Amino acid sequence: MQTETKMQVSYKNYWYIACQSHELKANQALQRIVLDEWIALFRDEEGKPVAFQDRCPHRNFKLSQGHVKDGLLQCPYHGWVFDKNAQVVAIPSESKNFKPLKSRCAKRFDVLEQDDFIYVRLESHPDIQSGPFRMPHYREPGYRTQRLFNVFKNNVTNCAENYVDVPHTVFVHDKIFRVSRDEKVDATVTRKNGTVKVDYRNETDNMGWFSFFLNPKKEKIIHIDYFHVPNITSVEYIFSPGKEFYITSHSTPVNDQLTHVYTDLTYRFGIFTPFAGPIVRYQGQSVIDQDIEVLDTQMEVIHKYGERFSNSTADIVHVLIESLRNAIAKGQNPAELGEQQHDFEFWI
Ligand code: FES
Ligand SMILES: [Fe+2]
């Protein structure tokens, strides 16, 4: 009898942002590192992105230091030329005697361009087939986006947890974002299909000075946080009809101690929309700068003593995020974990 062995899921089966579209110029190769894999990126003759392992199959030079011409990439060491399919199409030292050989090729990765980002996927898996996460309302009429890039000396799990961690905001972002007032917040967290969703209730105006123009009547706001496997957090605030703010962070693991974070601050603030750009950008970057310091320090302590966490009630969100990421680390499909829902309360 034949037993079917299921292919293990891994972090490599998901799409990660390698760079922003504008960083990958025509006729210029670029190096990026994702999950410790060195990647050489360039654009083919139609401008479509191409991604190879950053290693020439000839004598192992870095292809990202190569020259791009008419959509072909030439290794600078001995001049082998590669097409977008990673096949060698010319070898100068073989001149007219050159014959294409299937065995002479670079290693190619899946790559695509979406929402002005270049995404790569290192390995495909039959059960993990969704494309890259769509950045909410990006380039939709009426919405504007401020896009930020930051480097965190920490891993994806700790970065993602920080972006959906409400209790830290009154300490780390005191006054800029929220002020500690010992107010009770009720919330419901749901884990389903590889997503953790948190509905926060009875939040009103505790949003720092932003409240003055976004919620002058101090009405209840809608606040929902999401974590989508393996690396996306999406925070949604709806202040009143037509006034919305979305903070979406995509954390690309360079390695397990370094994370490149792309953050979209997308908003629709009614009549304030055309003028809000500089202030949204300044405010967003100030908050992130504070989180970078906290997360760098957290990683220092983890280096020194190892990672051992304990929990408060609000940390149920983190526990569920960790359960999804741990499933991937163990080779399981996180979308197959059972559904869970919990009500919890905390004070900020
Ligand atoms: S190492 Fe790339 S052509 Fe020789
Ligand atoms: Fe924060």
Side-chain angles (χ1 to χ4, degrees):
M1 203 177 83
Q2 264 194 333
T3 47
E4 230 185 279
T5 44
K6 245 189 157 185
M7 198 176 145
Q8 297 242 311
V9 171
S10 93
Y11 289 125
K12 293 182 180 181
N13 304 143
Y14 295 87
W15 292 95
Y16 297 98
I17 295 174
C19 64
Q20 299 186 48
S21 289
H22 69 82
E23 295 176 283
L24 189 59
K25 304 191 170 41
N27 297 325
Q28 209 176 307
L30 188 70
Q31 197 211 33
R32 284 292 184 269
I33 301 173
V34 175
L35 284 169
D36 250 335
E37 184 73 66
W38 291 6
I39 300 168
L41 293 153
F42 66 102
R43 290 188 185 274
D44 69 13
E45 71 282 9
E46 290 169 353
K48 294 212 180 92
V50 181
F52 294 163
Q53 188 176 66
D54 196 6
R55 172 186 169 277
C56 178
H58 178 224
R59 284 297 179 273
N60 301 168
F61 199 76
K62 281 188 184 175
L63 289 173
S64 62
Q65 292 183 12
H67 312 291
V68 183
K69 206 173 158 230
D70 303 327
L72 300 172
L73 177 63
Q74 182 168 41
C75 177
Y77 194 0
H78 309 89
W80 286 27
V81 179
F82 300 83
D83 69 7
K84 63 185 169 194
N85 300 314
Q87 289 300 318
V88 177
V89 293
I91 294 178
S93 65
E94 292 185 357
S95 190
K96 292 196 173 46
N97 286 343
F98 168 78
K99 283 190 196 66
L101 288 174
K102 274 260 175 303
S103 57
R104 292 195 291 210
C105 62
K107 183 178 163 117
R108 197 162 60 104
F109 298 119
D110 293 334
V111 59
L112 61 81
E113 194 159 13
Q114 177 180 297
D115 296 334
D116 294 327
F117 286 122
I118 309 286
Y119 287 87
V120 294
R121 182 174 64 179
L122 301 179
E123 283 172 12
S124 66
H125 187 289
D127 298 339
I128 313 288
Q129 283 306 331
S130 50
F133 181 79
R134 282 255 164 220
M135 294 312 243
H137 303 294
Y138 184 66
R139 285 192 184 275
E140 280 179 25
Y143 293 87
R144 300 277 173 97
T145 295
Q146 294 292 322
R147 182 161 279 181
L148 305 174
F149 170 74
N150 286 282
V151 178
F152 285 73
K153 292 196 202 107
N154 209 318
N155 60 41
V156 169
T157 307
N158 290 335
C159 288
E161 288 189 0
N162 170 271
Y163 310 145
V164 291
D165 180 297
V166 176
H168 88 285
T169 55
V170 295
F171 289 95
V172 177
H173 312 304
D174 182 31
K175 304 216 173 42
I176 302 201
F177 185 23
R178 277 198 184 90
V179 186
S180 180
R181 295 198 301 213
D182 203 25
E183 277 175 359
K184 184 166 170 256
V185 177
D186 292 293
T188 302
V189 61
T190 311
R191 181 188 74 189
K192 191 180 173 184
N193 265 334
T195 290
V196 174
K197 178 184 180 205
V198 197
D199 281 287
Y200 292 98
R201 291 184 290 278
N202 52 33
E203 273 190 279
T204 52
D205 63 332
N206 196 356
M207 301 289 297
W209 52 265
F210 252 72
S211 308
F212 289 117
F213 69 100
L214 290 180
N215 192 11
K217 293 196 200 122
K218 302 196 173 182
E219 286 166 73
K220 287 238 157 78
I221 58 173
I222 296 173
H223 171 197
I224 305 173
D225 288 356
Y226 295 92
F227 168 78
H228 304 286
V229 280
N231 65 333
I232 312 281
T233 59
S234 172
V235 175
E236 297 184 3
Y237 293 108
I238 301 182
F239 299 98
S240 54
K243 286 191 188 155
E244 305 159 27
F245 191 23
Y246 301 86
I247 306 159
T248 311
S249 298
H250 178 114
S251 299
T252 295
V254 176
N255 55 45
D256 53 17
Q257 292 161 33
L258 193 68
T259 303
H260 282 182
V261 181
Y262 299 85
T263 306
D264 270 9
L265 307 168
T266 296
Y267 52 93
R268 184 159 76 146
F269 292 158
I271 53 163
F272 300 109
T273 308
F275 317 106
I279 192 78
V280 166
R281 193 174 189 86
Y282 176 79
Q283 175 92 354
Q285 189 58 54
S286 307
V287 168
I288 290 174
D289 287 343
Q290 293 174 324
D291 284 328
I292 287 175
E293 265 189 53
V294 167
L295 280 151
D296 287 5
T297 305
Q298 179 191 35
M299 200 51 176
E300 268 181 56
V301 177
I302 289 171
H303 267 311
K304 172 82 178 151
Y305 290 111
E307 191 178 271
R308 287 191 317 276
F309 295 158
S310 45
N311 295 315
S312 67
T313 47
D315 294 318
I316 181 70
V317 178
H318 303 339
V319 169
L320 293 179
I321 290 173
E322 286 159 24
S323 71
L324 291 173
R325 290 203 33 101
N326 289 344
I328 302 173
K330 283 191 235 144
Q332 298 161 358
N333 183 353
E336 288 170 4
L337 287 188
E339 189 177 330
Q340 280 195 28
Q341 188 165 77
H342 309 273
D343 293 323
F344 64 101
E345 56 187 30
F346 60 100
W347 283 258
I348 51 172

